[in-house]
Amino acid sequence: MGENNFSRELRLLTPTHFEYVFNNAIPAVSPQLTLLARYNESNNPRLGITLSKKRVKYAHDRNRIKRLIRESFRLQRHSLPNIDIVVVGKSGLDKLSNKELFSLLEKLWKKLALRCEKSQ
């Protein structure tokens, strides 16, 4: 496993962590996902995911999407700055295949990293 794990230090765990990002976020937006980011004090990027039942109806779809988001983040985190990221799902997200979602996330990670560099 080594450096590519998804440990507790890489997650946003409390509502306070999420609120911190929502208050002054740098966005990266697509029709199915919104990524919000804000610089953190830790020495690595952290991830939080919000998928509501209203947007993604079935639990198995929400779980699949969350697994794919975590896996994509795990693979891309070394190219991201030290930011807290909240991924917000929108309607139509459950219609994407695994491959489509993975490629969308890859584009959004890059877009977010560029926007964070510009804002610093």
Side-chain angles (χ1 to χ4, degrees):
M1 231 13 157
E3 295 180 14
N4 275 338
N5 62 357
F6 189 64
S7 63
R8 196 168 174 84
E9 298 87 48
L10 299 177
R11 292 183 254 165
L12 298 178
L13 298 170
T14 65
T16 310
H17 293 153
F18 280 82
E19 197 63 40
Y20 172 77
V21 177
F22 287 130
N23 283 340
N24 191 10
I26 300 165
V29 181
S30 80
Q32 295 87 7
L33 284 173
T34 298
L35 272 61
L36 303 170
R38 188 167 176 191
Y39 278 96
N40 64 27
E41 299 298 318
S42 67
N43 58 355
N44 50 22
R46 299 188 304 173
L47 178 69
I49 303 169
T50 61
L51 293 174
S52 70
K53 285 183 192 177
K54 185 176 180 181
R55 303 290 178 216
V56 181
K57 187 175 179 182
Y58 298 108
H60 61 89
D61 283 331
R62 287 194 302 277
N63 293 337
R64 174 183 66 90
I65 291 165
K66 287 190 277 188
R67 271 196 311 273
L68 288 168
I69 292 169
R70 285 192 298 264
E71 179 66 10
S72 177
F73 173 77
R74 188 181 69 78
L75 295 172
Q76 294 288 326
R77 73 182 177 101
H78 298 292
S79 63
L80 295 169
N82 296 337
I83 53 177
D84 288 344
I85 303 167
V86 175
V87 178
V88 181
K90 296 181 183 178
S91 297
L93 182 59
D94 54 344
K95 305 290 184 266
L96 295 177
S97 70
N98 291 357
K99 192 173 185 178
E100 290 170 331
L101 180 57
F102 216 77
S103 65
L104 173 64
L105 284 165
E106 202 170 300
K107 289 177 192 171
L108 288 174
W109 298 131
K110 290 175 185 172
K111 187 177 185 180
L112 193 61
L114 284 172
R115 288 191 173 179
C116 288
E117 285 175 20
K118 288 180 183 177
S119 73
Q120 199 176 27

